[in-house]
Amino acid sequence: MPVTLTCTRCGKQFSAPPSVTGRKYCSSACFRAQQAENTAWMAHNCAHCGTAFRVRGKEERSYCSRACHLAATARRSRACAQCGADFYPKSPIRLEGTLQGTFCSKTCSGLAQRTRVTRCCLQCGADFEIKQSRIKNGRGSYCSKECQALAEGCKRTCQGCGNEFRATRSVIEQGWGTFCSQACTARRVTRDCRVCGAEFTVKQSVADEGRGAYCSNSCRHLGKQNRVRKTCPHCSVQYTVPASLKDKRRTCSRACWAKIMGADPGRAAILARARHDQLSTRTPTRPERILYALIDEVAAQLAPDLSWERQHRLLDRWTVDAAVPSLHLVLQADGDYWHGLLPKYHQDPRVLRNMANDKYQDRKLAEAGWYVLRFWESDLIHNLPACADRLRAGIAALLPAEEMPR
């Protein structure tokens, strides 16, 4: 359906297809007239000197030349420090002490940096070359750091070897100037550990500051805390604990503690009961909901009085998805990934651990007289009739003959 637009040139309304809603002109004549107006030369007066000048179309220019623009914006010319030519810096703010505003181009800046002058050392009198930029920064009075140290420094006594040397004031103000060389700085002395009594070496500077009392981090930890040594009852490894935790820490690590707790029947029963309570209060998964509905349907057909339980606890150890206690029948809904339906899922070590636990659980339940039926998640979702036939056959095989429907 055509849309109505307004011409930006003559203001006339016109209709256009929906595909060209961005059209601005009603005709080619309006378009050419607007283009001619945009490209026509127009007269302006310079905002600085008042000189008349022309610009093309709608170009906005307030000054007739760059010189008027620079003069109106208070940008003063400067003389290049290298070639002496006048130029206008890019920014008139904070030009002192920077290369910007000092040279007219990068070429002059590079030449100035490479240009060196000859000066005489104030300490030894030797001639040396130095960059001009260093002279402007107040440097370039000495030919080397040794001469600068001799002229401005003071005598110091090395704490390592006892020899006298000179250090500059800036080095002394920073807290350095204690040793005459790197070898003396890295000089090491022998000390005895306060905890274990072993001999170890430490830097002289560290020993002078009162540090270096322990040979290792473990000894430092023992020295700063009141700790006692104990022996792990599981792995027989000696470990240390704070005196306040002497009666609370029984093992050297959480792994040993878990193994000891797993071997304790009372502790295992408590953990199994806690896990059963947690599973009983959670929301059933989708495969579990399908399995529960299937049990109700099959039980109504075969034995209406048959009772079954959700999240049933067996052998004080496992909590199964569903169970029929009167028939000693266990029903499990296994997820495809976490219980290893396909071989590609076996790369996950958690899946392999779950598969091993399933086999161990089936074997123990079979030894206790329970019959286990496991249904895959994909079968419960996509192949429910086959699961119903399998469940019906399992219940029918365990039902007494007199309870079978006629």
Side-chain angles (χ1 to χ4, degrees), residues 1-298:
M1 182 177 181
V3 295
T4 303
L5 304 176
T6 303
C7 180
T8 57
R9 174 68 180 176
C10 61
K12 179 182 177 181
Q13 292 186 350
F14 62 97
S15 60
S19 59
V20 291
T21 55
R23 186 173 173 181
K24 298 181 179 180
Y25 307 102
C26 61
S27 61
S28 300
C30 288
F31 173 73
R32 287 194 295 269
Q34 187 65 32
Q35 290 296 103
E37 182 179 341
N38 292 340
T39 57
W41 288 93
M42 302 182 64
H44 290 275
N45 293 327
C46 181
H48 178 67
C49 63
T51 303
F53 65 97
R54 296 192 308 164
V55 295
R56 179 181 290 275
K58 295 183 178 181
E59 181 181 358
E60 296 182 0
R61 283 182 54 185
S62 301
Y63 306 99
C64 61
S65 62
R66 179 173 175 78
C68 288
H69 171 70
L70 296 175
T73 55
R75 297 181 65 181
R76 301 178 182 179
S77 62
R78 302 186 67 178
C80 179
Q82 177 65 21
C83 64
D86 292 338
F87 70 100
Y88 289 91
K90 293 183 178 180
S91 175
I93 304 174
R94 298 180 61 182
L95 297 178
E96 293 76 8
T98 63
L99 294 179
Q100 183 182 10
T102 306
F103 306 99
C104 62
S105 62
K106 291 185 178 180
T107 302
C108 288
S109 175
L111 290 174
Q113 292 299 309
R114 291 191 294 269
T115 302
R116 297 175 177 270
V117 296
T118 303
R119 302 199 68 179
C120 180
C121 180
L122 299 180
Q123 175 64 24
C124 63
D127 294 337
F128 65 98
E129 293 183 353
I130 190 173
K131 296 179 180 179
Q132 290 183 355
S133 59
R134 295 176 65 89
I135 298 175
K136 293 181 180 180
N137 293 335
R139 294 177 291 179
S141 301
Y142 306 98
C143 62
S144 62
K145 291 184 177 181
E146 288 77 8
C147 288
Q148 183 179 3
L150 291 174
E152 299 179 355
C154 58
K155 291 183 178 181
R156 306 278 290 183
T157 302
C158 179
Q159 296 185 4
C161 59
N163 296 332
E164 291 186 356
F165 67 100
R166 291 180 179 271
T168 59
R169 293 189 181 92
S170 59
V171 172
I172 297 174
E173 290 174 356
Q174 295 177 7
W176 302 336
T178 307
F179 301 95
C180 62
S181 62
Q182 184 64 28
C184 291
T185 303
R187 185 181 179 185
R188 308 181 73 87
V189 295
T190 303
R191 304 196 67 177
D192 295 333
C193 181
R194 293 181 182 179
V195 175
C196 62
E199 290 188 356
F200 66 100
T201 59
V202 67
K203 288 184 179 181
Q204 181 67 49
S205 58
V206 175
D208 295 340
E209 294 176 0
R211 299 180 296 164
Y214 307 100
C215 62
S216 61
N217 290 334
S218 59
C219 288
R220 182 184 296 107
H221 187 66
L222 292 175
K224 292 186 177 181
Q225 296 185 10
N226 184 17
R227 302 179 70 88
V228 295
R229 295 185 180 273
K230 297 184 65 176
T231 302
C232 180
H234 178 72
C235 61
S236 302
V237 174
Q238 290 188 353
Y239 63 100
T240 60
V241 296
S244 59
L245 301 178
K246 178 180 179 182
D247 299 331
K248 298 181 180 180
R249 285 279 301 275
R250 294 176 53 187
T251 57
C252 62
S253 62
R254 289 183 178 270
C256 291
W257 174 256
K259 292 179 180 179
I260 290 180
M261 290 296 99
D264 187 0
R267 182 68 177 177
I270 294 174
L271 294 177
R273 171 62 65 179
R275 184 174 181 276
H276 172 72
D277 295 341
Q278 182 181 8
L279 293 175
S280 300
T281 56
R282 69 174 176 84
T283 304
T285 61
R286 183 184 180 187
E288 291 175 352
R289 293 196 300 268
I290 298 175
L291 178 62
Y292 297 157
L294 183 62
I295 295 174
D296 290 335
E297 179 182 353
V298 174

